[in-house]
């Protein structure tokens, strides 16, 4: 018994393996440690030298050392999250290069790279990355195809890449079936993606510095499309996310967690409601965005007493949901409970005496609470307040310092100060954090809200009206509310300061701005129609369009479409083979040869009719005359008369061959 | 006895026991192709070419190729001549040995590539251009070249482009025992060759060439030929396959073989198989350098005749 040597690695495939692997790894820049790339360069170098015959494969001692060192390095730097798991897999793929000797090792490396290419989607899902990944898949398939061409075949690169593209096109129907029908199961192992990575966004503690930092970020927060009621005026676009009810003297916090109500079923918006759809980026938090007064339309979204929307689980993936805004009334006017009244009047003792004094002074000048509130707002307008993202550091009594000393700050300072003063004269008040405004895309009719649209404002309780919105920032920098942050900071010039390459910074360059908006539109449509197709939407699609009511049905359909797909492929293949079926003459001739084989005359490739017949005569001399006449007939028909299309002649030739075949079997019998 | 049979009979008197090679050589000339005879020194290359020329009754020149041979030695040269009486002079062209109906280029691969390529235009276009003036060569024009195997010392291998211009390349090989005995017992074969009878007139030769062109190739035979060509190009794994000129050469040679071998008016696959080694091996031997087998053997074993 001999052991079979595994198929060797075709030399011309190695550059393609390295190329496709580099391409896939490039997409992970920023997500895995940089030293992994150094490891990759080393491995590629070593493997290339081996390829050129300068260096042998590493022996098992070296391999053991490298594996142990790499694992140790990953564990040492690991935070046991998605990124270190990815780094581990990538490192394994890189080290496999060092022992890639045979074709089967190439399979391991290429399939690993397919997997890593898939992992990239855990980090990035924009349409740009989708296109990049398409090229990656194409390179990987090309590598696999190329590994099965022999070294010397000309034009193999062109044929290989073409075949890879064809394979991808052919798999398109199956891809669509799987995309639409394959059950979207949530992560079974509860790996919270990116949970350790700080997501940009609001937090439940308002620190002025945080919002200042947010305003430097052009990252997407969410996008909104409105129903036929259309978009409200820009001054009304207050996207509520959080109520900060507790003041510690240094910062505002969301302390009280009010009761949530969950709707029992999905609802259609009533005519008195303006419904809109939000596609929200991952926040790592369970709050959603809405305009007051909000109403929930979906089963999985609850609403609390503060009129804020919440989900059961934190949003770790992009989420698409439907919200309604009641157009008829303000937030339901009801009595504040004692607990609520205490909560919204809470103040730490001993802070900001000057601000309290100011509030009390103004209170004495006003007859009603509404008048007082007007006066407070007027105060911000009349005094020399300015809007800046670079405020000075404030002292122990922050609000006093801000109101009477620096007089410069942004939304968080103004909202905090107003709430403090209202509470200090016994008016329930709260800070609301969220986003304000957004960029309206006129052609595609959607609103883009970015992190720099983050905002904080005030809601104040009036028994007759309920919670009323007061935005002191508007008194200081009306531009911020009406035109956005960029206008408000036009003089200071601090908009997107230090973000030289952000396209947001160059809105004034017309063509660049147009390009930016077009790119944003494409990405928006991609998110809206492709990425947001989640479990719930799939359910809706299956129920409404296909009439399914159980997920098993879609599995049956998937299985059925696989069967149909392979049936079609088999039929096509059969059709092709059928076209190559030999002519009746050849069939008869082959039958004769099969028959003669039993008499010991093996057919040889490259033998002419005459040569074969001569051998046949030697095997059975008693049929010499018959064989010779048949051979002559064939030769005459094929070569002398040149009439292979003459049916009568063909029939006659086939008849003689059949006759001869019969004679040969008679002899055998 | 037909003219062809008598020609063959005469030739076989000179080259003993090499009927196949003499038939191939004659087929080559009837297919209007140039012939290359490759073998070790002393195998009868020169004798065969001598014999061919004298039997066909064509004017005949011989050039012994050496490493210092120059193109002018082959093509001819213009020399300034002065008339001693009038004292007036002019350049006069002295035609070289190429101006003949049969040119024997002996040991062609001993000359430098420069001299070899001087034959190039002559072989392809039956004309030579010297000092800007194009001069036609006599018709018919055959080049019979002999060469020593490439491994011999002091040789410049012919480039592929030049090999391709020879319709056939044949080897003689050692004679059989009986033929060798006859050879040893008999007279000097070159003496016999000189006294060979001329069997053909020019008209008859041209008529035979015409007859070769009239040979019918059925679609089944052409299918076979195309399968051979496709095999060399795509399936055999050679660096390059048979060129269209090579395919045409194969067809023409096979037709001539049909006439020479048994005076047939149509082509059968056996004709192609008979000329295949002579036509294909020298064209593709470098392309299939890694193969131990000869190209023609490879083809004969792998390309089906009927399909």
């Amino acid at each position: 018994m001999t052991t079979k040597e595994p198929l060797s690695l075709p030399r011309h495939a190695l550059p393609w393996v390295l190329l496709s692997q580099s391409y896939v790894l490039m997409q992970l820049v920023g997500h895995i440690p940089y030293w992994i790339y150094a490891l990759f360069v080393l491995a590629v170098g070593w493997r290339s030298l081996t390829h050129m015959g300068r260096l042998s494969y590493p022996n098992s001692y070296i391999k053991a050392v490298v594996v142990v060192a790499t694992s140790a390095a990953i564990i040492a730097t690991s935070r046991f999250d998605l990124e270190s798991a990815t780094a581990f897999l990538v490192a394994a793929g890189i080290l496999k290069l060092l022992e890639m000797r045979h074709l089967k090792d190439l399979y391991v490396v290429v399939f690993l790279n397919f997997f890593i290419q898939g992992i990239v989607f855990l980090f990035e899902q924009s349409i740009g990355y989708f296109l990049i990944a398409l090229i990656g898949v194409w390179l990987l398939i090309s590598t696999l195809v190329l590994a099965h061409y022999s070294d010397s075949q000309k034009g193999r690169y062109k044929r290989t890449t073409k075949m890879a593209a064809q394979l991808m096109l052919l798999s398109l129907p199956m891809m669509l079936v799987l995309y639409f029908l394959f059950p979207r199961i949530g992560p079974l192992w509860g790996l919270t993606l990116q949970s350790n990575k700080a997501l940009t966004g609001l937090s439940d503690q308002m620190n002025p510095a945080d919002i200042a930092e947010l305003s430097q970020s052009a990252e997407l927060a969410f996008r909104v499309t409105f129903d036929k009621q259309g978009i409200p005026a820009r001054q009304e676009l207050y996207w509520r996310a959080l109520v900060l009810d507790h003041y510690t003297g240094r910062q505002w916090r969301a302390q009280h967690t009010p009761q949530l109500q969950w709707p029992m079923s999905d609802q259609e918006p009533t005519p008195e409601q303006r419904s809109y759809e939000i596609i929200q980026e991952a926040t790592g938090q369970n709050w959603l965005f809405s305009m007051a007064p909000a109403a929930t339309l979906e089963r999985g979204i609850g609403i609390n007493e503060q009129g804020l929307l919440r989900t059961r689980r934190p949003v770790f993936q992009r989420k698409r949901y439907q919200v309604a805004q009641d157009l008829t009334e303000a937030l339901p006017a009801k009595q504040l409970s004692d607990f609520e009244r205490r909560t919204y009047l809470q103040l730490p003792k001993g802070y900001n005496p000057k601000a309290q004094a100011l509030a009390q002074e103004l209170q004495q000048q006003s007859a009603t609470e509404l008048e007082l509130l007007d006066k407070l707002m007027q105060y911000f307008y009349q005094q020399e307040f300015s809007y800046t993202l670079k405020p000075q550091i404030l002292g122990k009594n922050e609000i006093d310092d801000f109101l009477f000393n620096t007089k410069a700050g942004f939304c968080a300072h103004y909202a905090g100060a107003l709430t403090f003063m209202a509470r200090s004269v016994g008016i329930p008040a709260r800070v609301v954090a969220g986003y304000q405004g957004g960029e309206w895309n006129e052609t595609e009719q959607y609103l883009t809200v970015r992190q720099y649209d983050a905002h904080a404002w005030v809601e104040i309780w009036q028994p007759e009206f309920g919670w009323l919105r007061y935005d002191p920032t508007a008194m200081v920098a009306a531009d911020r509310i009406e035109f956005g942050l960029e206008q408000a900071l036009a003089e200071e010039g601090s908009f997107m300061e230090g973000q030289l390459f952000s396209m947001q910074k160059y809105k004034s360059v017309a063509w660049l701005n147009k390009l930016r908006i077009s790119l944003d539109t494409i990405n928006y449509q991609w998110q809206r129609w492709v990425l947001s197709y989640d479990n719930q939407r799939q359910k809706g699609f299956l129920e409404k369009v296909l009439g399914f009511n159980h997920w098993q049905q879609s599995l049956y359909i998937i299985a059925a479409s696989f069967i149909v797909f392979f049936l079609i492929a088999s039929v096509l293949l059969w059709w092709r083979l059928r076209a190559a079926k030999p002519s009746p003459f050849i069939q008869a001739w082959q039958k004769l040869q099969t028959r003669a084989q039993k008499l010991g005359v093996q057919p040889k490739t490259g033998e002419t009719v005459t040569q074969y017949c001569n051998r046949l005569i030697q095997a059975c001399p008693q049929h010499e005359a018959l064989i010779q006449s048949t051979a002559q007939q064939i030769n005459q028909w094929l070569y002398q008369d040149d009439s292979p299309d003459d049916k009568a002649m063909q029939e006659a030739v086939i008849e003689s061959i059949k006759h001869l075949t019969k004679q040969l079997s008679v002899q055998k019998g | 006895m037909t003219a062809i049979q008598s020609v063959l009979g005469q030739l076989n008197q000179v080259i003993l026991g090499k009927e196949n090679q003499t038939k191939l050589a004659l087929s080559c000339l009837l297919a209007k192709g140039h012939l290359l005879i490759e073998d070790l020194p002393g195998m009868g290359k020169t004798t065969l070419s001598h014999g061919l020329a004298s039997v066909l009754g064509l004017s005949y020149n011989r050039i012994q190729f050496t490493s210092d041979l120059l193109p002018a030695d082959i093509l001819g040269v213009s020399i300034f001549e002065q008339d001693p009486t009038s004292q007036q002079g002019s350049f006069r062209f002295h035609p070289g040995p190429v101006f003949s109906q049969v040119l024997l280029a002996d040991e062609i691969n001993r000359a430098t590539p420069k001299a070899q390529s001087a034959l190039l235009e002559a072989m392809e276009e039956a004309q030579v251009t010297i000092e800007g003036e194009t001069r036609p060569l006599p018709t018919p024009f055959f080049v019979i070249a002999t060469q020593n195997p490439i491994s011999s010392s002091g040789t410049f291998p012919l480039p592929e482009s030049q090999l391709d211009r020879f319709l056939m390349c044949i080897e003689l090989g050692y004679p059989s025992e009986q033929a060798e005995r006859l050879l040893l017992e008999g007279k000097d074969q070159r003496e016999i060759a000189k006294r060979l009878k001329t069997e053909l007139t020019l008209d008859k030769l041209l008529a035979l060439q015409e007859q070769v062109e009239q040979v019918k190739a059925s679609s089944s035979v052409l299918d076979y030929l195309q399968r051979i060509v496709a095999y060399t190009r795509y399936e055999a794994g050679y660096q390059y396959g048979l060129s269209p000129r090579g395919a045409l050469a194969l067809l023409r040679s096979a037709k001539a073989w049909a006439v020479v071998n048994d005076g047939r008016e149509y082509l059968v696959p056996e004709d192609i198989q008979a000329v295949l080694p002579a036509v294909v091996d020298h064209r593709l031997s470098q392309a299939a350098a890694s193969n131990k087998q000869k190209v023609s053997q490879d083809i004969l074993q792998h390309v089906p005749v009927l399909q």
Side-chain angles (χ1 to χ4, degrees), chain A residues 601-621:
Chain A
V601 183
Q602 302 294 333
K604 290 181 188 163
T605 325
E607 208 175 22
T608 64
V609 174
T610 319
Q611 288 158 358
Y612 179 77
C613 287
N614 286 342
R615 287 200 299 135
L616 198 57
I617 290 170
Q618 281 183 354
C620 33

Side-chain angles (χ1 to χ4, degrees), chain A residues 22 27 37 63 88 128 131 197 213 245 286 293 312 331 378 448 493-494 498 500 607 636 663:
Chain A
S22 321
Q27 299 168 50
Y37 288 96
K63 277 194 275 192
F88 201 78
L131 297 175
K197 190 186 165 195
E213 199 183 308
D245 51 12
N286 69 338
R312 287 205 160 88
L331 279 179
Q378 287 297 320
T448 307
S494 60
L500 198 60
E607 208 175 22
Q636 185 176 356
Q663 289 297 313

Side-chain angles (χ1 to χ4, degrees), chain B residues 38 109 147-158 163 285-286:
Chain B
E38 181 184 76
N109 58 346
Q147 76 167 349
N148 300 329
I150 294 167
S151 52
S152 312
S153 58
T155 58
F156 296 91
L158 288 177
L163 278 175
S285 60
Q286 286 177 23

